Amino acid sequence: MDQEKQETQIKAETQDEILLAALQLFAEKGYFNTSLIDIKDHAGIKNTSGIYHYFKNKNAIAAALYANIFDSLNVSVDEIRRRNNKSSEQLRGVVDLLFKLTQDAPDVMKFLLLVKYDEFLADEKPIMETSATIKIVKIIQTGMNTGEIRAIDPYLAYGFFFGVVNNTLRLILSGALDKSPDFYLSQTWLAAWNSIAKKTNV
Amino acid sequence: MDQEKQETQIKAETQDEILLAALQLFAEKGYFNTSLIDIKDHAGIKNTSGIYHYFKNKNAIAAALYANIFDSLNVSVDEIRRRNNKSSEQLRGVVDLLFKLTQDAPDVMKFLLLVKYDEFLADEKPIMETSATIKIVKIIQTGMNTGEIRAIDPYLAYGFFFGVVNNTLRLILSGALDKSPDFYLSQTWLAAWNSIAKKTNV
DNA sequence: GTCTATACGCCGATAGAC
DNA sequence: GTCTATCGGCGTATAGAC
């Protein structure tokens, strides 16, 4: 590894440490209760000025997290659409993904479900306009065309379906439901699907 | 009206103005983006010190709002339980109430559904432990006993049902669904009920 | 690219006159 | 119970040496 490459590597690592620390703290305490002091301590940096070499300000850290998470979500949704044909299968894939994330990366899901972005990320797209969301709505529309899903406002159906899924995950993440995500997966899928399916398959 | 009564009346009015202003601002911008300056301007008070005669600090305003809203919700749930017998009817009553509130008092519902209390009200009960929530869970448990509702973890069923309802209301309040609450009421009720009902009644 | 030191603004909160 | 004035502190952000 030549000198230049190693330096960018190190730079990327420090940046990632800051992002990881911020993610954990934002997920745990919220954006406004997290100071740059907290972040520098958590990231193992000597003082706050170091942060400003990687991010313009505190807000930019949150914006980077937001972008990373939704980009990766968008990629995952693409894969899921590629690997499955029926709308029900694709939605099931998304639910599986969200449950797996809740298990493996709870901070990511806490950030995703428990944080109110618009209070500090006014310039970012609202969740309903992100690529991932739009693609999921398309899945639902397709399901309506093929007759799997009841013909209603697609955004309403989106709200029903992910109301069930996300609210269950919220209860798990907040400790109100004490079993592991896997325990609730099949029941949650069924309830979510029942809320929008045409023929109720019990 | 005698002098003393009039004074307490005036005091109560000023206090209510502060609470109303705070409710609107918290609902719109969030707790941390709202300063006491904002509140005093919105409430038509000359300066911030006035606020401290009615509330110990900014946090106490939020705590009072929280208590007021959940108390009144609790009373409403009691009434609903008194007026209806079947679990399905009682749940329907709660849904009707929440939709009506979304129509008539959107700020109250924004505060209820869009604000993360635990970031600034660490000492208050979490929502899942409020009287109103506990009573609703009881309704669900009764419905399971009588066979109306599938036999699953009552808190999970609560999560399913109000996942559908609250998420729909969230989309309405945030403008992602553009019709009035009434337009979505019957569909939402059906979807929510389908997510927990034993016999799916289409 | 990391450190020390420090500036600066905002906001919550208080003291005390009236 | 309302006003004027002001404090103290925190937290963001910058300047500049190394």
Side-chain angles (χ1 to χ4, degrees):
Chain A
M1 195 186 289
D2 62 320
Q3 181 67 11
E4 194 179 309
K5 191 160 182 189
Q6 192 176 11
E7 273 171 2
T8 59
Q9 180 74 12
I10 287 169
K11 165 154 184 176
E13 272 173 17
T14 310
Q15 202 171 31
D16 283 352
E17 273 162 19
I18 294 170
L19 285 173
L20 185 62
L23 173 66
Q24 292 172 342
L25 291 164
F26 292 167
E28 181 194 342
K29 311 197 300 176
Y31 177 83
F32 294 100
N33 286 323
T34 302
S35 71
L36 290 174
I37 316 265
D38 294 331
I39 294 176
K40 89 158 210 286
D41 288 342
H42 227 77
I45 293 176
K46 288 280 166 59
N47 50 45
T48 58
S49 358
I51 298 177
Y52 288 91
H53 279 272
Y54 298 96
F55 299 97
K56 183 173 154 266
N57 53 30
K58 178 181 169 183
N59 208 259
I61 303 176
L65 281 173
Y66 180 91
N68 285 354
I69 290 178
F70 276 91
D71 281 355
S72 121
L73 215 56
N74 187 34
V75 171
S76 298
V77 171
D78 281 338
E79 282 175 22
I80 289 168
R81 291 218 289 175
R82 215 178 304 122
R83 282 205 306 267
N84 300 278
N85 289 319
K86 290 174 68 178
S87 290
S88 55
E89 291 165 353
Q90 292 175 336
L91 287 177
R92 176 63 196 241
V94 174
V95 174
D96 286 346
L97 170 67
L98 295 178
F99 270 72
K100 187 172 163 47
L101 277 174
T102 302
Q103 180 91 273
D104 300 343
D107 286 338
V108 171
M109 287 303 291
K110 279 184 188 168
F111 188 86
L112 207 53
L113 296 178
L114 264 27
V115 171
K116 276 210 67 202
Y117 319 105
D118 56 321
E119 285 186 9
F120 51 92
L121 291 179
D123 295 342
E124 302 295 321
K125 284 185 200 165
I127 299 178
M128 295 304 286
E129 293 171 18
T130 58
S131 308
T133 303
I134 292 173
K135 281 170 186 166
I136 291 174
V137 171
K138 283 217 179 92
I139 294 176
I140 291 176
Q141 280 176 312
T142 305
M144 290 176 182
N145 292 337
T146 63
E148 281 192 287
I149 297 174
R150 274 183 286 138
I152 57 178
D153 182 333
Y155 283 95
L156 186 62
Y158 176 92
F160 291 166
F161 187 87
F162 287 97
V164 172
V165 174
N166 292 348
N167 202 39
T168 304
L169 294 176
R170 256 181 227 114
L171 293 181
I172 293 171
L173 288 166
S174 68
L177 291 173
D178 54 0
K179 306 272 197 317
S180 87
D182 275 349
F183 181 84
Y184 303 106
L185 172 54
S186 67
Q187 282 176 294
T188 304
W189 157 256
L190 196 66
W193 182 249
N194 272 342
S195 74
I196 63 168
K198 194 164 217 171
K199 307 174 182 176
T200 48
N201 43 357
V202 189
Chain B
M1 193 186 290
D2 62 320
Q3 181 68 11
E4 194 178 311
K5 191 159 183 191
Q6 192 175 13
E7 273 172 1
T8 60
Q9 180 74 11
I10 286 169
K11 164 154 185 174
E13 272 173 18
T14 310
Q15 202 170 32
D16 283 352
E17 274 162 19
I18 294 171
L19 284 173
L20 185 62
L23 173 66
Q24 291 171 343
L25 291 164
F26 292 166
E28 181 195 341
K29 311 197 301 177
Y31 177 82
F32 294 100
N33 287 323
T34 302
S35 72
L36 290 174
I37 315 264
D38 294 331
I39 295 176
K40 89 157 209 291
D41 288 342
H42 227 77
I45 293 177
K46 288 280 166 60
N47 50 44
T48 58
S49 357
I51 298 177
Y52 288 92
H53 280 274
Y54 298 96
F55 299 97
K56 184 172 152 267
N57 52 29
K58 178 180 168 184
N59 208 259
I61 303 176
L65 282 173
Y66 180 90
N68 285 355
I69 290 179
F70 276 91
D71 282 355
S72 121
L73 215 56
N74 187 35
V75 170
S76 298
V77 171
D78 281 338
E79 282 175 22
I80 289 168
R81 290 218 290 176
R82 214 178 304 122
R83 283 204 307 266
N84 299 278
N85 289 319
K86 290 174 68 178
S87 291
S88 55
E89 291 165 353
Q90 291 175 335
L91 287 176
R92 176 62 197 240
V94 174
V95 173
D96 286 345
L97 170 67
L98 295 178
F99 270 72
K100 187 172 163 46
L101 277 174
T102 302
Q103 180 92 271
D104 300 343
D107 286 338
V108 171
M109 287 304 290
K110 279 183 189 169
F111 189 87
L112 206 55
L113 295 179
L114 263 28
V115 171
K116 277 210 67 201
Y117 318 105
D118 56 321
E119 286 186 9
F120 51 93
L121 292 179
D123 295 342
E124 302 295 320
K125 284 185 198 165
I127 298 177
M128 296 303 287
E129 293 170 19
T130 57
S131 307
T133 303
I134 291 173
K135 281 169 187 166
I136 291 174
V137 171
K138 284 216 180 92
I139 294 177
I140 291 177
Q141 281 176 313
T142 305
M144 290 177 184
N145 293 336
T146 62
E148 280 193 287
I149 298 173
R150 274 184 285 136
I152 57 177
D153 182 332
Y155 283 94
L156 186 62
Y158 176 91
F160 292 165
F161 188 86
F162 287 97
V164 172
V165 173
N166 291 349
N167 202 39
T168 303
L169 294 175
R170 255 181 229 115
L171 292 181
I172 294 172
L173 288 166
S174 68
L177 291 173
D178 55 359
K179 307 271 197 315
S180 87
D182 275 349
F183 181 85
Y184 303 105
L185 172 55
S186 65
Q187 284 176 294
T188 304
W189 157 256
L190 196 67
W193 180 247
N194 272 344
S195 74
I196 63 167
K198 194 166 216 168
K199 306 173 183 177
T200 49
N201 43 356
V202 188

